[in-house]
Amino acid sequence: MKPKLFLTIAGAFFLLDGLAGFFMVSGFDFIAWSYGIFCMSLGALFLMTRNEAASTARNAVFMTGFLASFFVSLAAYYAQWSGLFLDSPAGYIPPTLWLIVAIGFFLVGRANMSGSAGN
């Protein structure tokens, strides 16, 4: 997959998930709103860097996307396994989506990494 297409998809995914964070709770909840802001910030970063040429900075964007997606996935799996999320197997869908996004960041970023630190 081309980096531009993947960053566009990931940016939209992060923006939509961040927007959903504001509607998960009624009123102000610091954790939910912080998660929403986190996701929307990364979504904007991915959308703004999608047209950049291969460089060390773009490598860092892909690494950031991988780490953020991977650790959100692990936290979501833990929440489901510990009974803090949903009482049905459908609770495994969000962490699996996050894991797929993390794998995508890893594979697309690795395939298109800049080999020179001077770029």
Side-chain angles (χ1 to χ4, degrees):
M1 182 180 283
K2 299 280 184 196
K4 180 177 180 175
L5 176 62
F6 184 78
L7 287 172
T8 302
I9 293 169
F13 177 76
F14 270 77
L15 283 175
L16 289 173
D17 199 51
L19 188 61
F22 295 112
F23 298 105
M24 287 191 304
V25 294
S26 62
F28 178 76
D29 180 6
F30 176 75
I31 299 299
W33 283 48
S34 297
Y35 173 76
I37 292 167
F38 160 77
C39 285
M40 291 182 74
S41 299
L42 284 180
L45 172 72
F46 300 146
L47 289 175
M48 287 190 285
T49 59
R50 69 180 182 228
N51 293 322
E52 295 299 317
S55 66
T56 305
R58 193 178 78 175
N59 293 349
V61 168
F62 273 98
M63 183 59 69
T64 300
F66 167 72
L67 291 173
S69 303
F70 182 70
F71 286 113
V72 167
S73 173
L74 288 181
Y77 275 123
Y78 177 75
Q80 179 64 19
W81 288 329
S82 64
L84 299 173
F85 192 46
L86 296 177
D87 291 333
S88 74
Y92 289 104
I93 294 171
T96 303
L97 289 175
W98 279 106
L99 186 59
I100 290 169
V101 171
I103 292 169
F105 269 112
F106 181 78
L107 294 177
V108 173
R110 187 167 180 244
N112 295 287
M113 274 204 170
S114 166
S116 169
N119 285 342

